[in-house]
Amino acid sequence: MYKFKVDEEVARWTLEVHLQVDRSAAAHWWVAFSNPTAGPWKRLMAKTGEGEVEVYRYRREEERPDLIIVSDILKAVLIVEAKDNHDKLLKERQMVKSIRVMREMEAQLVNLGDNPAWDVRAQYSYIPGFLWGEARDIEAESRAVANAYYEVAQVSLSNPLIGFAIRNIDDTLIPQVHVHGTLSISKSTFLESLNFPLIS
Amino acid sequence: MAADKHALEFWSDSFHEGDWSCKELGNHLPIIRISHLNGFIPQYLYSLPNGEELEVTVYGSYGIWSPLPVPIGELLEWGKPDLVVYSPSEEKILFAVEETAAVPTGNQALQRFERIFGSAKRRIPFWYLVGEYGMHLDKGVRRDSIWAAVACLKLTVIFGVPSIVLHYSTKDSPEDYNAGTGLHSLFNILSKFLLNWAGVIADETMIPELQDQYLEMFDFIQSQWQQITDYLPSVEKLIGDGLAREFAVRALGNEPSNEFSGFLRWGLTRELPDEIRQKQSGRSLIKMDRLMARLEELVESGKAYTLSKRTGSRPQPRDSVGRWIRAQEGLFDVSGLDNPPEFTLKITEFPPSPSGLLHLTTAKNILYLCDLWEDLAREIISAYPRLAGVLKFFNAQDPVMFYVSNSMKPGRIFGDPYTGQLTNYSINFARNMSGEVSRKVVTYYPHQVHSQLFDSSGKLRSNKGITLMKVLVDLAIFHSGVAVVLKDGPIVL
C-alpha cells in the first residue's frame, strides 16, 4: 500500500465518492459538475428523466468552481470551492476569486430557467460551500473560513455557507460538514441528507 | 472455490480519469464489483472469459502517492499520461493512454507528443485519443493535424510497440467524446491487451483490432495531409489492409517488414518533386531577426525547404511583452562565456498589429529542412559572429532540421505545446524508419535566454523540456547567439 497526502483533488474526490456511494446521500444529492485537476470534464450536466443532459459548457479560459452538487429534494444547489487545506482558502486573493467564481456560476445557473433540463432548478437555493483536506479541527477551521468569506463577500452572517472538510482517521478519509448562517431548511434535515459518518 | 485473481493498478492524472477508464473498460469486461478503499480509492473487480478475475485499483493524481513505482516515475519525466496501467507484481507498465479535450488546432495539435515518444522509447504501448474536430477560438470547426499520426507510424516501426492515434468526435459533433469510433476502439483494444497479459488470449488475436486502428490512421492522413503540408513523402503508399497489418504485426514486437524501408523519408531539396521544389521561395519576416532572414535566404537559394505556407502570427499584449522582456533580462547571465554577448531585446523592435498587439513571430515558418550543416553554420555565424570558429560538432554534409520558437514568456519553451511540437518534428523529420538520425536537430529561441536552463548553482535544471532537449536536440541557440550543446554536456558557447 502506498502512502498518500490529502490534497484538493483527493478532498473533492472523497466527497464525490461519498455522495455517490452512500445510499442516503445519493438519494438526496447528485454531482452536476466536478473540476478535476486533469481530464475532459468541462460540462455541467443535469439529471433528467432521459438521463444526464448538458446544460452548460465552460469556455476554455473560463473560471469554474471545483464542484457543484444538487438536491432536488431539498431544492438546493451547492457551489463549492476546494483547496488542499483551509489555510489556502483564507488568503484574501483566493477568497476574492472564490466568491467571484461562485457568484458568476450562480448567475449563470439562475438564468437557465428556460432550459428544460435545468428548469425549476433555477429557482432553488444557491448556497456557497468550501471544501478542504488535511482537516484537524473542523469547527475552528470552518469558522475561520466562514469569517473570511463573510468579510470579503460583505454579506450578512445570516447568509448560509457550508464548510466541508476531509478528516484522515487511520488512513481512512471521512467527509465532515459545518453549517454557517441560516438555511431555508432545517439544519438537521440538511445534515441527514448528507449522512456523513460520525467521528467519535 | 475462489477464482484466480490478477491484480493491476491504474495510475492516472486525476481520480476521475482513472475511474472513467475503469467504467469504460466495463463495456468490454463485465464488472463484478466496485468498492472504495480507505474511503476514496476505487477498486474494480472484473470477470474474465476464462472464469478468472481482474482486480484494478485506481491511484489518481500521481503527485500524492509515495513511493511512486520507479517505472512510473521514469515515464513521468516525459510528462504525465492520463492513464498508466501498471502490474505491481512484475514492476512493469503494460501500456499508457493520453486523452485530450484540447482543441486540436494551431500549436495545440502536437502538445503532449513528448509523452508518446517517452513511452515508445521505453517500449510501452501508447494510445492517444484526441478530438478529430474541435471548435477554435474563432468558433470555426477545425480538424486535427496529421503530424501526430505520421510520427506514431514511425515510432511503431522504430520501437516495435503500438503507438497509435485514435480520433473521437465528428464534424457535426466536434469535441464530443461519444461521437466517432475512437473511444470504443480504445477500450476494445485495451481490454484485449489486458486479456493477453492475463494469458487469456494470444498475441495474434489482437492483430485485427490493431490493423483497423492503423488503417484508420492511414485514412485520416490521406484525407487531411493536403490541408497541413504541401508535401508528404510516400503518402501514396499509406493505403490498404496489407500495410496496416504489417504495422500491427510490427507493433507486437515482430521484425519490421522490408516495406517500411525508405518510408516517410524527408530528402534533400533537390530530391523534392519538381512542382514542390519550384514553389519554394524565401518569405519576408513579420518581426526582423538576422538569423531567420538568413534561413529564408537558404530557402530562396534552394538549399533548404519548408513544408507549408499556411502559417500565421498570434500577437501578444504590449504589457505582457514588456514584462517578459524585463524577466528575460533579469535571467540573462553570461558569466563564464568567452566573448560574452549583450542582452538586446527591446519592445520597440516588435511590430504592432492593427489592434495594437505586438508580433513576436519572426519568420512565418517554424520548421526548415536544410540540406547541409555547412550552409546553415555559415548563416548562423553570419548572424552571430561571436560563434565563429566554435561550431565544429557536425559533418559539413549533414542535413539539418532547424526549428524556431518565437515564444518569449520565461520557461514557456520547456512546457506545452513546445515540447510536444519539438519532439514530434524531431521524430518526423530527423529520424528514419530504423530510428537512426537522418538530420541533425538545431533549435533557435531568439527571445529566450540560455540561463533558464540552469539553476542557481549552475546545474542543468530538471524538467521535461530539458529532458527531451538532451535526447533530441543537437544544438540550441538562444538570445544573442548563445549556443548550447546539451547531449554531451552541457557545453555553453
Side-chain angles (χ1 to χ4, degrees):
Chain A
M1 182 63 190
Y2 306 100
K3 290 182 178 163
F4 59 86
K5 60 183 178 188
V6 185
D7 66 356
E8 173 186 328
E9 162 77 12
V10 173
R12 199 206 64 258
W13 176 251
T14 303
L15 179 56
E16 285 185 63
V17 166
H18 176 82
L19 296 178
Q20 287 166 15
V21 170
D22 181 89
R23 285 189 184 182
S24 177
H28 282 85
W29 295 94
W30 49 272
V31 176
F33 174 71
S34 172
N35 188 26
T37 48
W41 292 272
K42 56 182 180 181
R43 299 186 299 171
L44 196 151
M45 310 297 284
K47 267 192 176 177
T48 71
E50 284 84 45
E52 288 194 337
V53 173
E54 177 183 331
V55 292
Y56 187 75
R57 183 178 292 212
Y58 294 92
R59 298 183 304 278
R60 196 192 307 179
E61 309 297 340
E62 187 176 2
E63 291 180 327
R64 43 193 101 169
D66 293 303
L67 189 66
I68 299 175
I69 60 175
V70 180
S71 171
D72 292 316
I73 297 172
L74 304 182
K75 301 191 185 321
V77 177
L78 295 188
I79 302 173
V80 180
E81 281 280 283
K83 280 285 165 211
D84 299 346
N85 54 55
H86 87 290
D87 281 338
K88 290 189 178 178
L89 289 166
L90 295 177
K91 289 179 181 161
E92 186 178 352
R93 202 167 167 184
Q94 176 59 44
M95 185 57 76
V96 168
K97 184 211 162 202
S98 294
I99 292 168
R100 181 175 69 239
V101 169
M102 290 166 171
R103 285 178 173 167
E104 286 176 3
M105 194 68 251
E106 178 180 344
Q108 294 281 3
L109 294 175
V110 298
N111 278 327
L112 285 177
D114 292 339
N115 185 325
W118 196 249
D119 197 21
V120 295
R121 291 169 183 137
Q123 314 299 324
Y124 285 5
S125 295
Y126 285 79
I127 304 170
F130 290 95
L131 163 67
W132 60 96
E134 301 176 12
R136 299 185 191 286
D137 182 343
I138 165 85
E139 200 170 326
E141 291 170 3
S142 191
R143 197 175 301 118
V145 172
N147 288 343
Y149 168 79
Y150 287 122
E151 186 181 330
V152 175
Q154 294 190 310
V155 295
S156 153
L157 298 181
S158 63
N159 278 268
L161 177 73
I162 308 298
F164 291 108
I166 304 299
R167 287 283 303 274
N168 183 344
I169 310 280
D170 297 330
D171 281 345
T172 294
L173 300 190
I174 300 171
Q176 299 285 280
V177 65
H178 202 80
V179 179
H180 303 270
T182 309
L183 295 168
S184 58
I185 52 167
S186 77
K187 188 173 165 183
S188 61
T189 302
F190 177 75
L191 295 178
E192 283 167 17
S193 75
L194 291 167
N195 198 32
F196 286 157
L198 293 172
I199 300 175
S200 53
Chain B
M1 196 176 89
D4 284 346
K5 189 158 55 177
H6 304 271
L8 287 176
E9 296 172 353
F10 278 20
W11 289 78
S12 55
D13 220 357
S14 72
F15 278 98
H16 265 271
E17 296 200 298
D19 196 63
W20 172 77
S21 300
C22 286
K23 287 193 168 74
E24 289 292 332
L25 188 61
N27 293 326
H28 302 269
L29 298 175
I31 297 173
I32 300 171
R33 187 179 67 240
I34 304 171
S35 53
H36 291 86
L37 308 178
N38 304 67
F40 74 107
I41 304 169
Q43 192 169 70
Y44 284 69
L45 188 64
Y46 299 91
S47 163
L48 303 183
N50 64 351
E52 295 177 352
E53 293 173 349
L54 170 64
E55 183 183 79
V56 172
T57 308
V58 176
Y59 294 98
S61 197
Y62 296 107
I64 68 164
W65 302 99
S66 66
L68 198 63
V70 172
I72 293 179
E74 289 172 352
L75 183 63
L76 296 191
E77 289 175 11
W78 290 83
K80 297 175 185 170
D82 292 317
L83 176 68
V84 177
V85 173
Y86 179 69
S87 165
S89 62
E90 300 160 282
E91 299 184 10
K92 176 186 170 190
I93 295 172
L94 302 188
F95 54 80
V97 175
E98 179 74 21
E99 37 96 14
T100 180
V103 181
T105 61
N107 275 347
Q108 307 296 330
L110 298 177
Q111 73 172 347
R112 300 166 184 172
F113 193 83
E114 72 278 357
R115 299 173 197 183
I116 303 177
F117 175 66
S119 287
K121 202 168 175 298
R122 286 174 173 72
R123 300 220 162 31
I124 296 169
F126 198 103
W127 280 266
Y128 184 33
L129 180 66
V130 61
E132 180 167 351
Y133 294 92
M135 295 277 280
H136 196 58
L137 289 173
D138 63 10
K139 306 288 182 197
V141 174
R142 304 285 167 81
R143 201 173 179 208
D144 191 19
S145 162
I146 62 165
W147 295 124
V150 173
C152 277
L153 293 178
K154 241 177 192 179
L155 291 178
T156 297
V157 176
I158 293 170
F159 295 105
V161 291
S163 188
I164 292 175
V165 175
L166 296 174
H167 282 115
Y168 64 84
S169 78
T170 62
K171 197 170 185 178
D172 296 329
S173 300
E175 301 180 23
D176 184 350
Y177 262 59
N178 296 311
T181 58
L183 187 61
H184 179 270
S185 182
L186 172 65
F187 283 94
N188 187 38
I189 191 68
L190 297 189
S191 66
K192 293 273 166 61
F193 261 70
L194 292 179
L195 291 175
N196 176 256
W197 167 78
V200 179
I201 62 173
D203 280 6
E204 298 74 50
T205 320
M206 299 186 286
I207 289 178
E209 272 82 11
L210 287 171
Q211 180 180 327
D212 284 349
Q213 293 183 347
Y214 282 107
L215 199 55
E216 292 231 351
M217 288 165 70
F218 295 173
D219 290 345
F220 169 71
I221 294 166
Q222 288 290 357
S223 64
Q224 176 67 350
W225 74 270
Q226 286 170 307
Q227 307 304 314
I228 305 291
T229 175
D230 295 336
Y231 171 59
L232 182 62
S234 55
V235 65
E236 70 284 355
K237 295 181 189 169
L238 274 183
I239 51 169
D241 290 332
L243 185 65
R245 184 179 168 82
E246 297 288 353
F247 273 95
V249 169
R250 174 62 182 148
L252 294 176
N254 296 292
E255 284 301 304
S257 158
N258 288 335
E259 289 190 43
F260 299 136
S261 64
F263 222 67
L264 297 171
R265 176 183 165 274
W266 296 84
L268 304 179
T269 308
R270 66 172 181 273
E271 297 174 279
L272 289 173
D274 289 346
E275 69 276 15
I276 302 299
R277 193 176 60 252
Q278 285 157 10
K279 279 205 293 191
Q280 296 292 321
S281 61
R283 292 200 289 171
S284 60
L285 306 187
I286 296 174
K287 181 245 164 191
M288 182 53 195
D289 180 274
R290 285 175 294 169
L291 180 52
M292 294 316 300
R294 285 165 172 79
L295 259 296
E296 290 294 334
E297 285 171 17
L298 282 182
V299 176
E300 182 66 29
S301 60
K303 294 174 178 170
Y305 61 97
T306 60
L307 302 182
S308 169
K309 291 193 164 38
R310 301 176 198 87
T311 47
S313 170
R314 189 177 171 194
Q316 300 293 326
R318 176 177 287 271
D319 58 345
S320 298
V321 175
R323 193 170 62 249
W324 295 336
I325 289 175
R326 287 192 297 277
Q328 292 286 351
E329 187 167 17
L331 292 166
F332 191 61
D333 179 2
V334 290
S335 52
L337 287 188
D338 292 336
N339 194 11
E342 290 183 1
F343 183 86
T344 59
L345 282 181
K346 289 184 179 60
I347 200 163
T348 50
E349 68 187 90
F350 296 92
S353 70
S355 61
L357 302 174
L358 298 182
H359 286 288
L360 303 188
T361 301
T362 53
K364 293 164 190 158
N365 287 297
I366 59 172
L367 183 80
Y368 296 76
L369 300 182
C370 306
D371 291 348
L372 301 174
W373 163 244
E374 65 180 358
D375 291 335
L376 178 62
R378 189 171 54 248
E379 302 303 344
I380 293 172
I381 291 164
S382 171
Y384 295 112
R386 61 176 300 276
L387 293 175
V390 297
L391 298 179
K392 294 173 177 171
F393 323 105
F394 315 140
N395 295 319
Q397 305 300 307
D398 284 340
V400 181
M401 182 196 101
F402 182 95
Y403 166 84
V404 58
S405 167
N406 298 299
S407 166
M408 184 187 282
K409 189 176 180 182
R412 190 79 205 283
I413 55 172
F414 304 128
D416 292 334
Y418 301 101
T419 48
Q421 202 172 51
L422 175 58
T423 309
N424 181 277
Y425 288 170
S426 298
I427 299 304
N428 269 327
F429 306 112
R431 296 282 190 283
N432 64 22
M433 292 296 261
S434 305
E436 294 155 349
V437 172
S438 53
R439 288 177 181 272
K440 298 294 184 188
V441 174
V442 175
T443 58
Y444 181 41
Y445 308 103
H447 308 143
Q448 300 274 350
V449 299
H450 69 286
S451 343
Q452 296 173 82
L453 293 167
F454 305 96
D455 63 19
S456 54
S457 65
K459 287 185 181 164
L460 261 185
R461 290 169 57 204
S462 173
N463 61 44
K464 72 173 177 181
I466 291 174
T467 298
L468 73 89
M469 281 182 183
K470 283 197 282 190
V471 174
L472 297 171
V473 177
D474 295 291
L475 179 69
I477 303 169
F478 290 85
H479 174 65
S480 281
V482 178
V484 182
V485 180
L486 286 158
K487 274 184 176 169
D488 304 312
I491 304 166
V492 183
L493 303 166

